Amino acid sequence: MPADTPDAWEHRVHGDDAGLAFACRFLPLPLEQPLADAQDAWLGRIDPRWSTVTGDAR
């Protein structure tokens, strides 16, 4: 990632959902907690090292 890339930013939606704003940020992988709605479920399929870390023994 380039040095001038921000760690966090806000995305404002245009079009049909104009007015919505999302707070975005980069997180290191593997994640320590799952993302909302299991959005991280397939990360381990891309690279097994990216599977979300849980309290379970793996």
Side-chain angles (χ1 to χ4, degrees):
M1 175 171 21
D4 61 345
T5 301
D7 292 331
W9 65 98
E10 185 176 87
H11 171 72
R12 294 205 172 267
V13 178
H14 303 281
D16 292 341
D17 293 324
L20 291 176
F22 293 90
C24 303
R25 63 188 167 131
F26 287 105
L27 295 172
L29 295 175
L31 299 172
E32 293 183 11
Q33 295 184 352
L35 297 174
D37 298 324
Q39 294 178 57
D40 59 310
W42 291 86
L43 287 173
R45 299 260 182 155
I46 298 168
D47 187 319
R49 297 171 295 170
W50 295 352
S51 294
T52 302
V53 176
T54 63
D56 303 339
R58 289 187 179 243

